[in-house]
Amino acid sequence: MKKFINIISVCILTLMFYSCSAQNTTDSQTLNSFVTSEEFTFHAERANPMNYDVINTLNSIPNNPSTRILQLDAGSYTIELRKGKMEVVLPYFGRAFNSTYGRDNSYRFTSKDYTVTKSQSKKGNWVFKIKPNDVNNVSDINIEVYKNGKAFTSIRSNDRQPITYDGYISKNEEIKEKKID
């Protein structure tokens, strides 16, 4: 009887792990089309601040789990890459070295002059190194796209500590143009 319970437990755990690993994945053909066209949207699900002052403040909040990861609103924070245009809307948690009094502390900008360097890692993940030339405070953005569609993004600035984000990539939404009669 004990052996039977152990076998059933192992089967149930295997099925649970298999079902958890299959969630939120993108098929390889769709992922390859995003990567080759260099047109996709990164959706940030979690922010990982690097500043320990922010982490210590988060840990001091009552009933807050003691992690350094912040859950973000689904679909609200993105990096959208299109031909000739990149739109970034991401929150920032950390230390800024220049005063931001009276302006928003987050990353919110549109770049029309940027360079993209695409490479593939040893594990088969795609790495995009983006350097915006027309934005003063952001030196580079790195997006690593995994085989299942998940992505890891890091932003390095000239006037702030670095920050990283976890999320996934998807197809860009279609832009509807207004018709004038």
Side-chain angles (χ1 to χ4, degrees), residues 4-179:
F4 181 70
I5 292 174
N6 286 340
I7 292 172
I8 289 178
S9 299
V10 168
C11 291
I12 289 172
L13 284 173
T14 305
L15 288 173
M16 276 184 16
F17 286 125
Y18 178 74
S19 66
C20 290
S21 67
Q23 294 176 353
N24 266 346
T25 59
T26 305
D27 64 335
S28 61
Q29 284 183 334
T30 307
L31 185 65
N32 286 336
S33 69
F34 295 158
V35 169
T36 55
S37 69
E38 296 180 7
E39 288 195 14
F40 58 85
T41 301
F42 167 76
H43 299 274
E45 295 178 316
R46 290 174 291 284
N48 309 313
M50 301 292 172
N51 187 350
Y52 280 101
D53 291 338
V54 173
I55 295 167
N56 291 335
T57 303
L58 291 172
N59 291 339
S60 69
I61 298 172
N63 299 327
N64 189 37
S66 61
T67 61
R68 57 178 253 178
I69 299 172
L70 295 164
Q71 287 293 122
L72 301 175
D73 291 336
S76 298
Y77 300 108
T78 60
I79 297 176
E80 187 175 341
L81 281 174
R82 294 188 183 273
K83 293 288 184 199
K85 184 177 178 184
M86 176 179 62
E87 290 186 39
V88 177
V89 178
L90 291 172
Y92 180 74
F93 306 97
R95 179 172 288 175
F97 301 118
N98 292 333
S99 67
T100 58
Y101 182 75
R103 20 175 215 157
D104 193 12
N105 195 27
S106 62
Y107 291 112
R108 293 181 189 274
F109 62 86
T110 301
S111 175
K112 293 186 179 183
D113 180 22
Y114 61 93
T115 57
V116 178
T117 306
K118 178 174 59 171
S119 63
Q120 198 166 15
S121 69
K122 292 178 184 178
K123 296 180 181 179
N125 302 332
W126 288 99
V127 178
F128 292 87
K129 294 186 180 191
I130 305 167
K131 180 163 180 45
N133 299 321
D134 56 352
V135 178
N136 293 335
N137 63 346
V138 177
S139 59
D140 63 340
I141 300 171
N142 295 324
I143 302 175
E144 183 172 0
V145 179
Y146 302 106
K147 294 176 186 176
N148 62 356
K150 298 283 186 179
F152 177 80
T153 300
S154 64
I155 298 181
R156 196 171 59 180
S157 299
N158 302 331
D159 62 349
R160 301 175 190 181
Q161 288 182 326
I163 187 168
T164 62
Y165 303 93
D166 295 321
Y168 62 95
I169 65 167
S170 70
K171 182 180 179 180
N172 288 340
E173 292 182 10
E174 298 294 323
I175 298 176
K176 296 179 181 177
E177 295 182 18
K178 294 181 180 179
K179 292 184 180 181

